[in-house]
Amino acid sequence: MRQELMSLPKTLADDVAKNLVMVARLLDAEPEEAYAYSRVALRLASRVAAVREAAGFASYVTERYSEALTEFRASRRMTGLADLWPVMADCERGLGRPERALEMAGAPEVKQLDKAGQIEMRLVAAGARSDMEEFDAAVVTLECSELGSNSVQPWTARLRYAYADALIGAGRADEAREWFAKAAEADQDGSTNAAERLAQIDGIEFVDALDPDVEIDDEAQVETAGDTEDDEDDDTEFAEGDGEDYYEDDDEEDEEEGVVTPSDETKRD
């Protein structure tokens, strides 16, 4: 990204960079604000691939799938890379076109992805199968060597979670419980709600004691008060010492946007 911005006048490059930083900072916590910053960056430098990519992700997380797909396509045309292929396919799902997502899952571009990208493509393809209520096919799609590996990777929890969810759809709840448990074990950064799904299967209900809508009976309050007094006595005794986480390039769009593709540069040379 830094090299791309260096091609811009310094003041403009600084403004674009500041907006991209805000997009990255707000994307998870305040997606709508991140989207607003991405549109500013887009107006300033629409011919920078990193800007189109950032705008794509801001649109994606705010469920503006058509916009996201447009930006991802533009970024891909500029770079010639396939990194965005899985998220582009997921945009097709978001637009209600799971069949298109499945077509992309079988495209040659998938072979250009690294291991993380290929796993992401599996997740999208399985999601598309589930969208079409083909849950058994979704289960099969996710069955790969990485699923049962003892090595925990950044995508391990999500892969196991998706597999468990597909098993639920296929009516295999007992197996799903096992995989929700494995997903929760691998989920060190809270990327899934595997622990909550596991508790739901086991019939465990979590109660937020600070929720004003939650009623606590008087007997429980009295018992709690009594326990507090006992705890105070225990503290006194202890003080005294008594205790012890597909698309092909669109030449027409390129001409309209003024985008120079890698193939065009080759032709010009």
Side-chain angles (χ1 to χ4, degrees), residues 4-18:
E4 291 179 288
L5 293 181
M6 286 177 63
S7 64
L8 301 174
K10 186 178 186 306
T11 301
L12 178 58
D14 289 343
D15 288 342
V16 173
K18 289 175 183 178

mmCIF file with all atom_site columns, all heavy atoms in Angstrom, residues 4-18:
data_model
loop_
_atom_site.group_PDB
_atom_site.id
_atom_site.type_symbol
_atom_site.label_atom_id
_atom_site.label_alt_id
_atom_site.label_comp_id
_atom_site.label_asym_id
_atom_site.label_entity_id
_atom_site.label_seq_id
_atom_site.pdbx_PDB_ins_code
_atom_site.Cartn_x
_atom_site.Cartn_y
_atom_site.Cartn_z
_atom_site.occupancy
_atom_site.B_iso_or_equiv
_atom_site.pdbx_formal_charge
_atom_site.auth_seq_id
_atom_site.auth_comp_id
_atom_site.auth_asym_id
_atom_site.auth_atom_id
_atom_site.pdbx_PDB_model_num
ATOM 1   N N   . GLU A 1 4  ? 1.935  2.263  -3.412 1.00 0.00 ? 4  GLU A N   1
ATOM 2   C CA  . GLU A 1 4  ? 0.829  2.823  -4.189 1.00 0.00 ? 4  GLU A CA  1
ATOM 3   C C   . GLU A 1 4  ? 0.587  4.278  -3.811 1.00 0.00 ? 4  GLU A C   1
ATOM 4   O O   . GLU A 1 4  ? 0.372  5.139  -4.667 1.00 0.00 ? 4  GLU A O   1
ATOM 5   C CB  . GLU A 1 4  ? -0.445 2.015  -3.948 1.00 0.00 ? 4  GLU A CB  1
ATOM 6   C CG  . GLU A 1 4  ? -0.415 0.616  -4.526 1.00 0.00 ? 4  GLU A CG  1
ATOM 7   C CD  . GLU A 1 4  ? -1.695 -0.118 -4.227 1.00 0.00 ? 4  GLU A CD  1
ATOM 8   O OE1 . GLU A 1 4  ? -1.907 -0.485 -3.065 1.00 0.00 ? 4  GLU A OE1 1
ATOM 9   O OE2 . GLU A 1 4  ? -2.492 -0.321 -5.163 1.00 0.00 ? 4  GLU A OE2 1
ATOM 10  N N   . LEU A 1 5  ? 0.613  4.568  -2.524 1.00 0.00 ? 5  LEU A N   1
ATOM 11  C CA  . LEU A 1 5  ? 0.362  5.931  -2.068 1.00 0.00 ? 5  LEU A CA  1
ATOM 12  C C   . LEU A 1 5  ? 1.491  6.872  -2.447 1.00 0.00 ? 5  LEU A C   1
ATOM 13  O O   . LEU A 1 5  ? 1.277  8.076  -2.608 1.00 0.00 ? 5  LEU A O   1
ATOM 14  C CB  . LEU A 1 5  ? 0.157  5.935  -0.547 1.00 0.00 ? 5  LEU A CB  1
ATOM 15  C CG  . LEU A 1 5  ? -1.095 5.225  -0.035 1.00 0.00 ? 5  LEU A CG  1
ATOM 16  C CD1 . LEU A 1 5  ? -1.179 5.333  1.482  1.00 0.00 ? 5  LEU A CD1 1
ATOM 17  C CD2 . LEU A 1 5  ? -2.353 5.777  -0.678 1.00 0.00 ? 5  LEU A CD2 1
ATOM 18  N N   . MET A 1 6  ? 2.706  6.327  -2.606 1.00 0.00 ? 6  MET A N   1
ATOM 19  C CA  . MET A 1 6  ? 3.841  7.172  -2.972 1.00 0.00 ? 6  MET A CA  1
ATOM 20  C C   . MET A 1 6  ? 3.678  7.748  -4.370 1.00 0.00 ? 6  MET A C   1
ATOM 21  O O   . MET A 1 6  ? 4.325  8.748  -4.714 1.00 0.00 ? 6  MET A O   1
ATOM 22  C CB  . MET A 1 6  ? 5.140  6.366  -2.886 1.00 0.00 ? 6  MET A CB  1
ATOM 23  C CG  . MET A 1 6  ? 5.604  6.101  -1.453 1.00 0.00 ? 6  MET A CG  1
ATOM 24  S SD  . MET A 1 6  ? 7.097  5.071  -1.384 1.00 0.00 ? 6  MET A SD  1
ATOM 25  C CE  . MET A 1 6  ? 8.279  6.130  -2.232 1.00 0.00 ? 6  MET A CE  1
ATOM 26  N N   . SER A 1 7  ? 2.813  7.129  -5.172 1.00 0.00 ? 7  SER A N   1
ATOM 27  C CA  . SER A 1 7  ? 2.582  7.649  -6.518 1.00 0.00 ? 7  SER A CA  1
ATOM 28  C C   . SER A 1 7  ? 1.682  8.883  -6.498 1.00 0.00 ? 7  SER A C   1
ATOM 29  O O   . SER A 1 7  ? 1.540  9.574  -7.511 1.00 0.00 ? 7  SER A O   1
ATOM 30  C CB  . SER A 1 7  ? 1.944  6.566  -7.398 1.00 0.00 ? 7  SER A CB  1
ATOM 31  O OG  . SER A 1 7  ? 0.659  6.213  -6.911 1.00 0.00 ? 7  SER A OG  1
ATOM 32  N N   . LEU A 1 8  ? 1.086  9.186  -5.339 1.00 0.00 ? 8  LEU A N   1
ATOM 33  C CA  . LEU A 1 8  ? 0.205  10.344 -5.206 1.00 0.00 ? 8  LEU A CA  1
ATOM 34  C C   . LEU A 1 8  ? 0.983  11.541 -4.681 1.00 0.00 ? 8  LEU A C   1
ATOM 35  O O   . LEU A 1 8  ? 2.029  11.383 -4.037 1.00 0.00 ? 8  LEU A O   1
ATOM 36  C CB  . LEU A 1 8  ? -0.930 10.025 -4.224 1.00 0.00 ? 8  LEU A CB  1
ATOM 37  C CG  . LEU A 1 8  ? -1.839 8.847  -4.563 1.00 0.00 ? 8  LEU A CG  1
ATOM 38  C CD1 . LEU A 1 8  ? -2.801 8.595  -3.404 1.00 0.00 ? 8  LEU A CD1 1
ATOM 39  C CD2 . LEU A 1 8  ? -2.601 9.087  -5.850 1.00 0.00 ? 8  LEU A CD2 1
ATOM 40  N N   . PRO A 1 9  ? 0.491  12.756 -4.925 1.00 0.00 ? 9  PRO A N   1
ATOM 41  C CA  . PRO A 1 9  ? 1.097  13.937 -4.289 1.00 0.00 ? 9  PRO A CA  1
ATOM 42  C C   . PRO A 1 9  ? 1.111  13.761 -2.782 1.00 0.00 ? 9  PRO A C   1
ATOM 43  O O   . PRO A 1 9  ? 0.177  13.159 -2.209 1.00 0.00 ? 9  PRO A O   1
ATOM 44  C CB  . PRO A 1 9  ? 0.169  15.073 -4.719 1.00 0.00 ? 9  PRO A CB  1
ATOM 45  C CG  . PRO A 1 9  ? -0.466 14.584 -5.980 1.00 0.00 ? 9  PRO A CG  1
ATOM 46  C CD  . PRO A 1 9  ? -0.628 13.104 -5.815 1.00 0.00 ? 9  PRO A CD  1
ATOM 47  N N   . LYS A 1 10 ? 2.119  14.273 -2.115 1.00 0.00 ? 10 LYS A N   1
ATOM 48  C CA  . LYS A 1 10 ? 2.320  13.992 -0.689 1.00 0.00 ? 10 LYS A CA  1
ATOM 49  C C   . LYS A 1 10 ? 1.106  14.354 0.174  1.00 0.00 ? 10 LYS A C   1
ATOM 50  O O   . LYS A 1 10 ? 0.680  13.570 1.013  1.00 0.00 ? 10 LYS A O   1
ATOM 51  C CB  . LYS A 1 10 ? 3.550  14.734 -0.167 1.00 0.00 ? 10 LYS A CB  1
ATOM 52  C CG  . LYS A 1 10 ? 3.880  14.349 1.280  1.00 0.00 ? 10 LYS A CG  1
ATOM 53  C CD  . LYS A 1 10 ? 5.118  15.044 1.768  1.00 0.00 ? 10 LYS A CD  1
ATOM 54  C CE  . LYS A 1 10 ? 5.512  14.527 3.154  1.00 0.00 ? 10 LYS A CE  1
ATOM 55  N NZ  . LYS A 1 10 ? 4.431  14.598 4.132  1.00 0.00 ? 10 LYS A NZ  1
ATOM 56  N N   . THR A 1 11 ? 0.555  15.527 -0.022 1.00 0.00 ? 11 THR A N   1
ATOM 57  C CA  . THR A 1 11 ? -0.599 15.940 0.791  1.00 0.00 ? 11 THR A CA  1
ATOM 58  C C   . THR A 1 11 ? -1.775 15.003 0.576  1.00 0.00 ? 11 THR A C   1
ATOM 59  O O   . THR A 1 11 ? -2.433 14.584 1.533  1.00 0.00 ? 11 THR A O   1
ATOM 60  C CB  . THR A 1 11 ? -1.023 17.372 0.442  1.00 0.00 ? 11 THR A CB  1
ATOM 61  O OG1 . THR A 1 11 ? 0.069  18.264 0.663  1.00 0.00 ? 11 THR A OG1 1
ATOM 62  C CG2 . THR A 1 11 ? -2.206 17.811 1.309  1.00 0.00 ? 11 THR A CG2 1
ATOM 63  N N   . LEU A 1 12 ? -2.033 14.638 -0.656 1.00 0.00 ? 12 LEU A N   1
ATOM 64  C CA  . LEU A 1 12 ? -3.118 13.725 -0.968 1.00 0.00 ? 12 LEU A CA  1
ATOM 65  C C   . LEU A 1 12 ? -2.844 12.348 -0.384 1.00 0.00 ? 12 LEU A C   1
ATOM 66  O O   . LEU A 1 12 ? -3.737 11.722 0.196  1.00 0.00 ? 12 LEU A O   1
ATOM 67  C CB  . LEU A 1 12 ? -3.299 13.625 -2.486 1.00 0.00 ? 12 LEU A CB  1
ATOM 68  C CG  . LEU A 1 12 ? -4.387 12.651 -2.981 1.00 0.00 ? 12 LEU A CG  1
ATOM 69  C CD1 . LEU A 1 12 ? -5.740 13.017 -2.409 1.00 0.00 ? 12 LEU A CD1 1
ATOM 70  C CD2 . LEU A 1 12 ? -4.410 12.625 -4.502 1.00 0.00 ? 12 LEU A CD2 1
ATOM 71  N N   . ALA A 1 13 ? -1.612 11.886 -0.505 1.00 0.00 ? 13 ALA A N   1
ATOM 72  C CA  . ALA A 1 13 ? -1.245 10.577 0.038  1.00 0.00 ? 13 ALA A CA  1
ATOM 73  C C   . ALA A 1 13 ? -1.462 10.535 1.549  1.00 0.00 ? 13 ALA A C   1
ATOM 74  O O   . ALA A 1 13 ? -1.959 9.542  2.097  1.00 0.00 ? 13 ALA A O   1
ATOM 75  C CB  . ALA A 1 13 ? 0.201  10.257 -0.293 1.00 0.00 ? 13 ALA A CB  1
ATOM 76  N N   . ASP A 1 14 ? -1.107 11.626 2.228  1.00 0.00 ? 14 ASP A N   1
ATOM 77  C CA  . ASP A 1 14 ? -1.295 11.693 3.682  1.00 0.00 ? 14 ASP A CA  1
ATOM 78  C C   . ASP A 1 14 ? -2.776 11.623 4.044  1.00 0.00 ? 14 ASP A C   1
ATOM 79  O O   . ASP A 1 14 ? -3.165 10.924 4.994  1.00 0.00 ? 14 ASP A O   1
ATOM 80  C CB  . ASP A 1 14 ? -0.689 12.977 4.237  1.00 0.00 ? 14 ASP A CB  1
ATOM 81  C CG  . ASP A 1 14 ? 0.828  12.964 4.203  1.00 0.00 ? 14 ASP A CG  1
ATOM 82  O OD1 . ASP A 1 14 ? 1.395  11.867 4.058  1.00 0.00 ? 14 ASP A OD1 1
ATOM 83  O OD2 . ASP A 1 14 ? 1.430  14.053 4.306  1.00 0.00 ? 14 ASP A OD2 1
ATOM 84  N N   . ASP A 1 15 ? -3.609 12.349 3.299  1.00 0.00 ? 15 ASP A N   1
ATOM 85  C CA  . ASP A 1 15 ? -5.050 12.347 3.569  1.00 0.00 ? 15 ASP A CA  1
ATOM 86  C C   . ASP A 1 15 ? -5.649 10.958 3.348  1.00 0.00 ? 15 ASP A C   1
ATOM 87  O O   . ASP A 1 15 ? -6.467 10.483 4.145  1.00 0.00 ? 15 ASP A O   1
ATOM 88  C CB  . ASP A 1 15 ? -5.758 13.359 2.675  1.00 0.00 ? 15 ASP A CB  1
ATOM 89  C CG  . ASP A 1 15 ? -5.465 14.800 3.078  1.00 0.00 ? 15 ASP A CG  1
ATOM 90  O OD1 . ASP A 1 15 ? -5.003 15.005 4.221  1.00 0.00 ? 15 ASP A OD1 1
ATOM 91  O OD2 . ASP A 1 15 ? -5.692 15.706 2.252  1.00 0.00 ? 15 ASP A OD2 1
ATOM 92  N N   . VAL A 1 16 ? -5.238 10.312 2.281  1.00 0.00 ? 16 VAL A N   1
ATOM 93  C CA  . VAL A 1 16 ? -5.738 8.970  1.983  1.00 0.00 ? 16 VAL A CA  1
ATOM 94  C C   . VAL A 1 16 ? -5.309 7.994  3.077  1.00 0.00 ? 16 VAL A C   1
ATOM 95  O O   . VAL A 1 16 ? -6.108 7.200  3.577  1.00 0.00 ? 16 VAL A O   1
ATOM 96  C CB  . VAL A 1 16 ? -5.231 8.479  0.615  1.00 0.00 ? 16 VAL A CB  1
ATOM 97  C CG1 . VAL A 1 16 ? -5.606 7.013  0.389  1.00 0.00 ? 16 VAL A CG1 1
ATOM 98  C CG2 . VAL A 1 16 ? -5.814 9.344  -0.495 1.00 0.00 ? 16 VAL A CG2 1
ATOM 99  N N   . ALA A 1 17 ? -4.047 8.076  3.463  1.00 0.00 ? 17 ALA A N   1
ATOM 100 C CA  . ALA A 1 17 ? -3.517 7.177  4.492  1.00 0.00 ? 17 ALA A CA  1
ATOM 101 C C   . ALA A 1 17 ? -4.270 7.340  5.812  1.00 0.00 ? 17 ALA A C   1
ATOM 102 O O   . ALA A 1 17 ? -4.597 6.355  6.478  1.00 0.00 ? 17 ALA A O   1
ATOM 103 C CB  . ALA A 1 17 ? -2.030 7.436  4.706  1.00 0.00 ? 17 ALA A CB  1
ATOM 104 N N   . LYS A 1 18 ? -4.563 8.583  6.193  1.00 0.00 ? 18 LYS A N   1
ATOM 105 C CA  . LYS A 1 18 ? -5.286 8.825  7.445  1.00 0.00 ? 18 LYS A CA  1
ATOM 106 C C   . LYS A 1 18 ? -6.667 8.192  7.412  1.00 0.00 ? 18 LYS A C   1
ATOM 107 O O   . LYS A 1 18 ? -7.128 7.608  8.396  1.00 0.00 ? 18 LYS A O   1
ATOM 108 C CB  . LYS A 1 18 ? -5.408 10.334 7.691  1.00 0.00 ? 18 LYS A CB  1
ATOM 109 C CG  . LYS A 1 18 ? -4.099 11.008 8.068  1.00 0.00 ? 18 LYS A CG  1
ATOM 110 C CD  . LYS A 1 18 ? -4.259 12.512 8.187  1.00 0.00 ? 18 LYS A CD  1
ATOM 111 C CE  . LYS A 1 18 ? -2.944 13.193 8.502  1.00 0.00 ? 18 LYS A CE  1
ATOM 112 N NZ  . LYS A 1 18 ? -3.081 14.678 8.570  1.00 0.00 ? 18 LYS A NZ  1
#
